[in-house]
Amino acid sequence: MTKLKAHKKRERSKKNKFVKIVFRIPLSRKKQLDRYCKLNNTTSKVALRKIINTYLDENAPAINEVFTPKNQLTLFDMKAYDHGGIQTTLDF
C-alpha cells in the first residue's frame, strides 16, 4: 500500500516592521555612549534610537508631506471655496 502525502499549506511570511541596521563605532565612542547611558539610566539601543529620531526630525523632511508645485491648480482649496466656490486666483 502506498501512503498519500498530505499537502502542507504554505505559511505566509510576516512582514517585518523593523529593520536591523549594523554599524561600527570606535571604542572611544562606545565608552562615551556607555557613560551617557549610565548617567541617564537607559540602554544603548534606546539612547541611539532617541538620538537618531531627534536628528531625523530636525534635518529630514517628513515622509507624508506633499509638496505641490507652484504652477498646480488648487482645486480643493477651502479658502477659495469660501470666496465664491471656485478658484479665482492663479499664482505664478
Side-chain angles (χ1 to χ4, degrees):
M1 292 203 158
T2 61
K3 293 183 181 179
L4 296 175
K5 291 185 178 180
H7 291 288
K8 293 183 180 179
K9 289 185 179 180
R10 283 190 181 178
E11 294 182 16
R12 290 187 181 183
S13 60
K14 188 175 180 181
K15 289 187 178 180
N16 291 339
K17 189 174 181 179
F18 300 102
V19 177
K20 186 175 184 177
I21 298 176
V22 178
F23 61 95
R24 298 165 63 126
I25 59 172
L27 186 61
S28 59
R29 288 291 186 183
K30 172 68 172 141
K31 289 179 182 178
Q32 190 177 12
L33 178 64
D34 291 338
R35 282 195 308 261
Y36 173 81
C37 292
K38 191 173 183 180
L39 288 173
N40 292 314
N41 198 18
T42 185
T43 63
S44 60
K45 285 184 181 181
V46 173
L48 288 172
R49 195 176 308 132
K50 285 181 182 179
I51 292 167
I52 291 172
N53 285 338
T54 55
Y55 179 80
L56 290 176
D57 288 342
E58 293 173 0
N59 297 317
I63 296 172
N64 297 333
E65 288 185 21
V66 178
F67 296 105
T68 56
K70 189 176 181 182
N71 61 350
Q72 182 177 351
L73 293 175
T74 54
L75 297 176
F76 300 105
D77 189 11
M78 294 308 289
K79 291 179 185 176
Y81 183 75
D82 293 338
H83 295 292
I86 60 171
Q87 183 178 2
T88 55
T89 60
L90 296 173
D91 297 328
F92 291 106

